[in-house]
C-alpha cells in the first residue's frame, strides 16, 4: 500500500514542551484523524510537516519525498486549511485567489469557479467580511483547485457551526473517493471523525498514544460499566482509565477479548466513541 | 516574483493617495533647501510603503501563508529587496507629478528640478535605511523592529541633510572637490555600485535569518 505521508521519529524540543519521536503514516486514499487535547502537539506536528517549524530529529516523507529537499514540489501538491484564517483580510476573494493561483503550478481556474459557486462564496467580498464558515470554505476551494493530493487540515472545524461542520465533512468524504488522495485532519472535537476517519492517531503530551485504523480501535476497545466491588488490584490493571462514583464505575479497556475472562457477565459492555477513548486516556487512573 | 511584489502594492493601494500628500508637504516645506525636498519625498514614500506592508503582513500572519505556498524563502526575501526600488520609483514619480502641477498652475511655491546628485542621495539614503532595517525586521518581526526603522529614518534623514549641506555650501573642501571633480556618470556608477554592494550584504544576512526562522 502506497503511503502518502510518513512521519518517523519526529522530534522537536521547546523550552516547556517536547514532541517525542513520533511516528505515523497515512496510506493513499484514506482520511487520518489526528486527535488529542489542546496543547498535545497536533499543531506543532503539522507545522513541522509544512516546514514552518524546523525539526530537531526524525524524518518526514510526503509522496515518498523528503519534505525539505523537495519542499517546493511537495507544497505544489499539498492543500492546507488552518484553524486561523491565514489569508490577507484586506483583499477580496478574487484578489487573494489571483495571488495564490499564481504560485501553484497546477492551478485549475474552472475548478475554482465551480467551488466558488458550489460554496456560494461572493468573489468581490473582502476576506475580513466573510463568516468563519465561509473562510474555511474559501481555504478549501483554494486547496481543491490546485489538484492537491494531500490535504492537511489543522482544526478546520473549530469555531464552525453545526451546519458548516457537516458540510465540510461531506465534502471530505466525497473527495476521498479519489484513491490517490489523502487527508490529515487534526481536531480536538472527535465526533467529527466518528463518521469520516479511516485511521486515527492519538497524541498526548507530545507522544503518540495510538495510531491505527478506526475499526481496529472500535473493535478492540470497550467501555465497561459495573459495580464498584468488581474493582480490585488485579482487575484494575486491565483499565486505561476508570471513572468511579458511589454507584459504580465506568472504564476503558483496550482488549475486549480479555473481558469475559476477567469479569464474566457481571458488567455492561458498550462500544466506545473516540471521545470516550480520548477522555479515558487523558484521565488515566488518577482517580483510582 | 512579480506577483509577490504586485501583492504588496495591492495590499496598500489605499496609501497611494498619501504618496502625493507627502510630495506636496515636502516640496512646500523644503523650498529653501533645493534638492533636499526631493530626497525627503523619496525617503518618506519608501519608508511608509515598507512599514505599511510590514504591519499588514504582521497583522495577517502572512509568513504562515507564504511559507505554506510553494514559494522558496529566497524569493520572498528577494521580492522585498526589489520592492524597495519600486517604492523609490513611486516617490520619484510623485515628486515629478507634483512639481509639474505646481509649475503648470503657476503656484507661488519654489520647485527644483531633479538632479543626478539628488537621485543618488535618495538612493543611498533609502538603501542604507532598508539594508539595516530588513535584517532586523526578519529577525524580530514588525512590532519589535518598528522603533528601529523610525530611528534609522530620522537619523539618516538628518545625516543626509547635513551631509548635503556640507557639500552644497562648500564647508568641506575635500568632499566638495571630490564630488565636483567627478562626472555625473562616475557619480552615478559609484553610487549604484555602492548601493548594490550594501543591498547584497543585507540580502545575504536577511536570507540567513529567514531560512532558519520558525512560524
Amino acid at each position: 500500500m502506497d503511503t502518502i505521508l510518513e512521519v518517523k521519529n519526529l522530534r522537536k524540543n521547546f523550552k516547556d514542551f517536547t514532541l517525542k519521536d513520533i511516528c505515523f503514516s497515512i496510506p493513499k486514499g484514506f482520511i487520518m484523524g489526528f486527535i488529542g487535547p489542546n496543547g498535545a502537539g497536533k499543531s506543532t506536528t503539522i507545522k513541522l510537516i509544512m516546514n514552518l517549524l524546523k525539526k530537531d530529529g526524525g524524518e518526514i516523507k510526503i509522496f515518498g519525498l523528503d519534505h525539505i529537499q523537495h519542499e517546493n514540489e511537495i507544497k505544489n501538491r499539498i492543500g492546507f486549511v488552518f484553524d486561523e484564517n491565514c489569508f490577507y483580510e484586506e483583499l477580496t476573494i478574487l484578489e487573494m485567489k489571483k495571488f495564490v493561483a499564481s504560485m501553484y503550478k497546477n492551478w485549475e481556474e474552472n475548478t475554482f469557479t465551480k467551488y466558488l459557486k458550489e460554496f456560494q462564496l461572493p468573489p468581490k467580498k473582502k476576506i475580513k467580511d466573510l463568516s468563519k464558515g465561509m473562510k474555511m470554505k474559501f481555504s478549501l476551494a483554494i486547496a481543491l483547485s490546485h489538484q492537491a493530493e494531500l490535504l492537511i487540515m489543522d482544526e478546520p472545524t473549530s469555531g464552525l457551526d453545526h451546519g458548516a461542520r457537516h458540510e465540510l465533512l461531506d465534502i471530505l468524504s466525497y473527495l476521498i473517493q479519489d484513491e490517490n488522495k489523502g487527508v490529515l485532519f487534526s481536531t480536538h472535537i472527535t465526533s467529527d471523525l466518528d463518521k469520516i476517519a479511516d485511521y486515527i492517531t492519538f497524541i498526548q503530551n507530545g507522544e503518540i498514544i495510538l495510531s491505527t485504523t478506526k475499526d481496529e480501535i472500535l473493535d478492540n476497545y470497550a467501555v465497561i460499566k459495573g459495580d464498584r466491588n468488581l474493582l480490585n488490584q488485579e482487575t484494575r490493571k486491565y483499565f486505561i482509565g476508570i471513572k468511579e462514583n458511589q454507584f459504580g464505575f465506568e472504564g476503558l479497556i483496550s482488549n475486549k477479548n480479555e473481558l469475559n475472562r476477567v469479569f464474566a457477565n457481571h458488567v455492561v459492555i458498550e462500544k466506545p466513541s473516540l471521545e470516550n477513548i480520548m477522555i479515558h486516556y487523558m484521565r488515566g487512573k488518577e482517580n483510582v | 516574483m512579480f506577483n509577490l511584489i504586485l501583492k504588496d502594492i495591492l495590499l496598500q493601494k489605499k496609501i497611494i493617495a498619501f504618496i502625493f500628500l507627502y510630495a506636496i508637504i515636502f516640496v512646500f516645506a523644503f523650498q529653501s533647501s533645493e534638492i533636499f525636498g526631493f530626497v525627503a519625498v523619496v525617503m518618506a514614500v519608501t519608508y511608509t510603503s515598507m512599514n505599511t506592508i510590514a504591519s499588514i503582513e504582521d497583522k495577517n500572519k502572512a509568513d504562515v501563508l507564504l511559507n505554506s505556498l510553494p514559494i522558496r524563502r529566497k524569493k520572498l526575501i528577494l521580492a522585498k529587496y526589489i520592492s524597495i526600488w519600486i517604492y523609490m520609483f513611486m516617490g520619484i514619480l510623485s515628486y515629478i507629478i507634483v512639481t509639474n502641477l505646481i509649475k503648470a498652475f503657476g503656484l507661488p511655491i519654489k520647485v527644483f528640478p531633479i538632479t543626478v546628485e539628488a537621485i543618488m542621495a535618495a538612493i543611498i539614503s533609502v538603501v542604507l535605511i532598508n539594508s539595516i532595517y530588513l535584517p532586523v525586521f526578519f529577525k524580530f518581526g514588525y512590532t519589535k523592529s518598528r522603533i528601529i526603522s523610525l530611528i534609522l529614518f530620522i537619523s539618516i534623514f538628518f545625516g543626509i541633510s547635513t551631509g548635503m549641506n556640507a557639500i552644497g555650501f562648500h564647508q568641506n573642501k575635500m568632499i566638495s572637490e571630490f564630488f565636483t571633480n567627478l562626472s555625473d556618470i562616475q557619480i552615478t556608477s559609484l553610487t549604484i555600485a555602492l548601493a548594490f554592494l550594501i543591498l547584497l550584504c543585507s540580502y545575504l544576512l536577511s536570507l540567513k535569518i529567514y531560512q532558519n526562522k520558525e512560524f
Side-chain angles (χ1 to χ4, degrees):
Chain A
M1 199 156 35
D2 278 351
T3 49
I4 201 158
L5 170 69
E6 195 179 358
V7 174
K8 240 194 231 164
N9 302 322
L10 180 62
R11 173 169 278 269
K12 176 76 185 168
N13 305 312
F14 293 104
K15 258 186 234 151
D16 46 0
F17 175 76
T18 303
L19 202 64
K20 298 169 195 113
D21 301 323
I22 66 166
C23 302
F24 66 91
S25 59
I26 308 179
K28 266 187 188 170
F30 293 102
I31 297 179
M32 162 82 77
F34 192 32
I35 62 172
N38 287 328
K42 299 189 297 292
S43 291
T44 302
T45 306
I46 284 177
K47 283 186 165 180
L48 286 164
I49 293 172
M50 295 301 286
N51 198 24
L52 294 170
L53 292 175
K54 307 278 170 188
K55 61 178 189 248
D56 291 324
E59 207 181 2
I60 298 173
K61 278 190 173 173
I62 308 173
F63 316 117
L65 304 167
D66 181 84
H67 79 136
I68 292 177
Q69 270 171 27
H70 301 269
E71 186 171 357
N72 246 33
E73 189 199 330
I74 286 170
K75 284 184 176 170
N76 258 308
R77 296 161 69 188
I78 288 183
F80 55 91
V81 178
F82 295 148
D83 164 20
E84 281 176 77
N85 170 49
C86 63
F87 295 111
Y88 293 105
E89 300 251 298
E90 291 82 2
L91 297 186
T92 64
I93 284 187
L94 276 189
E95 287 169 334
M96 192 69 239
K97 181 271 300 178
K98 210 174 156 213
F99 169 69
V100 172
S102 71
M103 298 297 149
Y104 284 113
K105 256 195 301 203
N106 306 319
W107 183 264
E108 282 184 336
E109 191 60 33
N110 291 341
T111 313
F112 182 78
T113 318
K114 189 191 91 187
Y115 280 115
L116 211 59
K117 265 194 206 139
E118 203 176 305
F119 296 163
Q120 297 179 318
L121 293 168
K124 288 192 178 138
K125 221 171 187 176
K126 284 194 175 171
I127 291 172
K128 65 175 166 201
D129 298 325
L130 301 179
S131 69
K132 181 110 198 191
M134 281 167 129
K135 282 181 190 165
M136 190 276 297
K137 281 190 211 160
F138 176 58
S139 297
L140 200 59
I142 295 268
L144 301 179
S145 302
H146 65 271
Q147 304 173 326
E149 293 153 66
L150 173 63
L151 268 188
I152 294 185
M153 315 179 96
D154 191 9
E155 300 269 0
T157 50
S158 81
L160 292 190
D161 63 36
H162 197 68
R165 265 178 60 199
H166 275 268
E167 235 175 318
L168 170 68
L169 299 180
D170 285 346
I171 295 162
L172 286 183
S173 39
Y174 171 75
L175 198 79
I176 206 68
Q177 289 172 7
D178 179 345
E179 285 172 4
N180 285 314
K181 288 195 187 333
V183 178
L184 177 65
F185 185 125
S186 100
T187 183
H188 66 280
I189 310 165
T190 51
S191 57
D192 288 343
L193 301 170
D194 284 329
K195 269 192 222 151
I196 62 157
D198 306 294
Y199 285 77
I200 297 291
T201 294
F202 175 27
I203 187 171
Q204 191 180 339
N205 296 327
E207 278 176 277
I208 300 287
I209 303 288
L210 54 95
S211 183
T212 179
T213 64
K214 188 177 70 185
D215 292 341
E216 199 176 306
I217 294 175
L218 299 184
D219 287 348
N220 290 321
Y221 282 75
V223 169
I224 60 175
K225 290 175 179 171
D227 200 90
R228 277 180 76 176
N229 57 29
L230 288 168
L231 295 175
N232 57 41
Q233 240 180 356
E234 183 58 27
T235 55
R236 279 176 195 274
K237 278 194 294 192
Y238 293 96
F239 289 95
I240 289 156
I242 310 175
K243 188 174 82 178
E244 289 174 71
N245 59 30
Q246 58 191 88
F247 306 110
F249 76 93
E250 182 198 299
L252 181 79
I253 60 162
S254 61
N255 190 347
K256 223 194 291 193
N257 299 331
E258 282 181 332
L259 198 71
N260 284 338
R261 191 170 55 76
V262 180
F263 294 109
N265 292 326
H266 304 300
V267 289
V268 180
I269 304 167
E270 283 173 8
K271 229 177 154 67
S273 66
L274 291 171
E275 176 95 10
N276 290 144
I277 293 172
M278 190 165 93
I279 287 183
H280 275 290
Y281 265 109
M282 280 160 64
R283 179 187 293 131
K285 294 183 215 177
E286 58 190 34
N287 300 346
V288 177
Chain B
M1 180 63 65
F2 170 72
N3 284 300
L4 280 170
I5 297 167
L6 194 70
K7 169 222 38 155
D8 281 4
I9 294 172
L10 198 64
L11 278 170
Q12 50 176 335
K13 53 186 177 224
K14 270 192 207 146
I15 73 146
I16 303 272
F18 280 97
I19 291 176
F20 289 98
L21 197 66
Y22 281 136
I24 295 166
I25 293 170
F26 285 117
V27 166
F28 186 74
F30 292 102
Q31 287 183 72
S32 56
S33 28
E34 299 200 21
I35 58 165
F36 191 58
F38 167 76
V39 179
V41 171
V42 179
M43 278 177 80
V45 168
T46 319
Y47 170 82
T48 314
S49 304
M50 293 296 282
N51 263 278
T52 310
I53 193 69
S55 91
I56 292 174
E57 303 230 290
D58 177 73
K59 197 180 92 192
N60 287 288
K61 297 202 179 97
D63 284 322
V64 172
L65 169 69
L66 296 173
N67 286 288
S68 299
L69 292 169
I71 316 171
R72 292 182 200 284
R73 293 192 179 191
K74 205 160 61 180
K75 268 195 174 175
L76 294 174
I77 302 290
L78 194 59
K80 283 277 176 272
Y81 280 85
I82 293 176
S83 63
I84 299 172
W85 294 87
I86 308 229
Y87 302 140
M88 268 200 272
F89 179 72
M90 277 161 48
I92 295 173
L93 206 64
S94 68
Y95 182 86
I96 293 174
I97 293 173
V98 167
T99 50
N100 276 303
L101 282 176
I102 291 173
K103 273 195 266 177
F105 287 103
L107 297 173
I109 299 172
K110 255 210 268 177
V111 293
F112 302 93
I114 303 172
T115 60
V116 174
E117 283 89 350
I119 295 186
M120 295 309 126
I123 289 179
I124 283 294
S125 342
V126 169
V127 163
L128 262 183
I129 294 178
N130 288 291
S131 295
I132 303 172
Y133 170 62
L134 281 174
V136 178
F137 165 71
F138 286 123
K139 177 82 191 170
F140 298 106
Y142 170 69
T143 325
K144 285 184 193 158
S145 62
R146 204 163 35 170
I147 185 75
I148 305 277
S149 93
L150 187 66
I151 294 170
L152 272 171
F153 177 73
I154 293 171
S155 44
I156 291 186
F157 191 83
F158 288 108
I160 287 285
S161 79
T162 323
M164 278 169 58
N165 281 338
I167 298 164
F169 297 115
H170 303 279
Q171 281 163 346
N172 186 329
K173 275 230 168 96
M174 251 175 61
I175 296 177
S176 65
E177 267 170 25
F178 175 73
F179 275 99
T180 36
N181 287 337
L182 290 175
S183 69
D184 277 358
I185 294 178
Q186 280 173 316
I187 293 181
T188 314
S189 30
L190 254 178
T191 318
I192 303 263
L194 184 66
F196 272 99
L197 188 68
I198 297 172
L199 280 176
L200 181 69
C201 295
S202 170
Y203 165 75
L204 291 174
L205 184 61
S206 293
L207 189 63
K208 201 171 160 40
I209 291 167
Y210 201 71
Q211 293 281 25
N212 296 314
K213 204 168 174 185
E214 301 197 311
F215 306 103

